[in-house]
């Protein structure tokens, strides 16, 4: 089983490198039938779906990567970004909270979560994330904090 999965992974990488996104997607799907808890492969499958313009399939693959705790928690992060892009803010916030919970002090996760909270009309909830970013030199976060919370009533 391990040899079959390794061979399939190599063939899949060749398909992706050759630009055969559809073939690579099919190969990754077959590989994930052999190793359904392979978080990195789920994340790569999500990337392939996204390249192919299939955002719903991409987010499902990213959710699987998130479930199986991919290295760097990119599955949670990428799922959150896609949900936010499609204005599904509650789902975006859930995934991005998981990202920052598992990857503490990772600025891109904090920034994405703050943006999703603001877009969802929850600016006050975004404040601690913006403050962290601002304290660590993010001038855009500092500007956003000033604009949102320094206004006089």
């Amino acid at each position: 089983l391990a040899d079959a999965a390794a061979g399939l992974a190599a063939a899949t990488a060749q398909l992706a490198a050759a630009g055969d996104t559809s073939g690579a997607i099919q190969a990754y799907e077959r590989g994930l039938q052999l190793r359904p808890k392979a978080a990195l492969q789920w994340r790569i499958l999500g990337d392939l779906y996204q390249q192919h313009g299939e955002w719903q399939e991409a987010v499902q693959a990213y959710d699987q990567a998130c479930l199986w705790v991919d290295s760097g928690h990119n599955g949670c992060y990428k799922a959150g970004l896609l949900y936010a892009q499609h204005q599904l803010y509650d789902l975006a916030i859930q995934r991005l909270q998981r990202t920052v919970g598992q990857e503490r002090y990772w600025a891109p996760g904090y920034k994405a979560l703050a943006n999703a909270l603001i877009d969802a009309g929850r600016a006050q909830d975004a404040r601690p994330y913006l403050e962290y970013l601002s304290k660590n030199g993010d001038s855009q976060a500092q500007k956003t904090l000033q604009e949102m919370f320094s206004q006089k009533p």
Side-chain angles (χ1 to χ4, degrees):
L1 186 63
D3 289 341
L8 190 54
T12 303
Q14 289 176 343
L15 288 169
D20 184 359
T21 307
S22 295
I25 287 171
Q26 291 173 1
Y28 268 101
E29 288 172 341
R30 284 193 302 274
L32 285 162
Q33 290 173 355
L34 298 172
R35 298 184 62 201
K37 295 180 182 180
L40 176 60
Q41 281 67 35
W42 280 111
R43 201 241 332 126
I44 294 169
L45 179 60
D47 292 345
L48 289 168
Y49 274 130
Q50 195 168 5
Q51 289 171 16
H52 207 249
E54 299 177 51
W55 84 268
Q56 290 173 320
E57 289 80 359
V59 82
Q60 289 173 4
Y62 291 144
D63 276 341
Q64 286 296 310
C66 184
L67 173 69
W68 299 114
V69 191
D70 64 317
S71 177
H73 309 288
N74 291 310
C76 298
Y77 177 70
K78 289 185 173 195
L81 292 178
L82 272 177
Y83 283 129
Q85 181 182 344
H86 292 278
Q87 300 178 352
L88 298 168
Y89 297 118
D90 289 339
L91 293 169
I93 291 164
Q94 289 172 1
R95 296 321 182 276
L96 294 167
Q97 285 175 328
R98 186 165 177 185
T99 299
V100 301
Q102 294 171 339
E103 280 295 315
R104 292 206 176 271
Y105 313 117
W106 185 54
Y110 274 52
K111 187 175 284 195
L113 179 54
N115 288 335
L117 287 163
I118 291 166
D119 290 344
R122 296 173 50 188
Q124 192 61 39
D125 292 336
R127 190 175 192 158
Y129 304 106
L130 292 169
E131 287 173 346
Y132 169 79
L133 291 165
S134 177
K135 287 177 187 173
N136 286 282
D138 187 316
S139 60
Q140 184 60 44
Q142 188 173 32
K143 181 180 175 185
T144 301
L145 276 169
Q146 289 171 346
E147 290 172 357
M148 295 179 78
F149 301 109
S150 297
Q151 298 174 357
K152 305 280 183 202

